[in-house]
Amino acid sequence: MQTRGVVFVHSAPPALTPHAEWAISSTLGLPVRIQWTAQPAAEGELRGEVVFSGPSGSAHRIASALKAWPMLVFEVTEEPTAGTDGERIAHIPGRGIFRAQVGVNGDIVVSENQLRALRDSARTVEEFRHGLDQLTGQSIDDALEIYREGGDGAPVTWLHRAG
């Protein structure tokens, strides 16, 4: 199944920008040239966005390729299709990868089993709240917000695979 998605490289050292482009290119099987702009939230760093069309699972493959450079701050999203769930994957240096299923309206989906495990393990209301924040990626969103603001109005590269 074909889907669409977005790669947000929120922050990259200039020397790594060709490597990020290469990782995305090799995953999608087509050349990628991102329009890089300054990232106001991180002096000396660059940011860029790529909108892609490709097979389901592309977001996971792109994130796997990008995580080879642990100093990159990035998010990759993929829209759901009639037969697959959407997903959101984010990386912040020192915090690892956050990955979640995304519903058709763009919300993070938390499964019944995840909620049961949280219910059974949380001993206090505060632990339960913290667990919900972990499942929904709230701390990741909080940390990424300053980078996202730097992308308002920035250029976006659109990629389309023929056939």
Side-chain angles (χ1 to χ4, degrees), residues 6-82:
V6 183
V7 179
F8 302 94
V9 179
H10 290 298
S11 181
L16 286 187
T17 58
H19 298 287
E21 290 176 351
W22 175 84
I24 298 166
S25 293
S26 64
T27 302
L28 295 175
L30 53 116
V32 174
R33 295 291 171 256
I34 298 173
Q35 292 181 284
W36 297 97
T37 59
Q39 173 50 271
E43 188 175 333
E45 301 277 308
L46 299 174
R47 60 150 326 278
E49 295 178 27
V50 175
V51 176
F52 67 89
S53 295
S56 294
S58 292
H60 174 71
R61 289 188 293 279
I62 292 168
S64 293
L66 289 174
K67 76 177 184 178
W69 294 279
M71 63 286 302
L72 295 177
V73 177
F74 66 85
E75 279 181 278
V76 186
T77 63
E78 181 173 299
E79 294 179 3
T81 68

Side-chain angles (χ1 to χ4, degrees), residues 112-122:
E112 178 181 341
N113 287 338
Q114 289 173 301
L115 289 173
R116 284 188 175 140
L118 176 58
R119 177 198 64 200
D120 294 345
S121 65

Side-chain angles (χ1 to χ4, degrees), residues 95-106:
R95 296 181 74 172
I97 294 279
F98 169 78
R99 184 176 180 193
Q101 178 184 347
V102 177
V104 295
N105 63 351

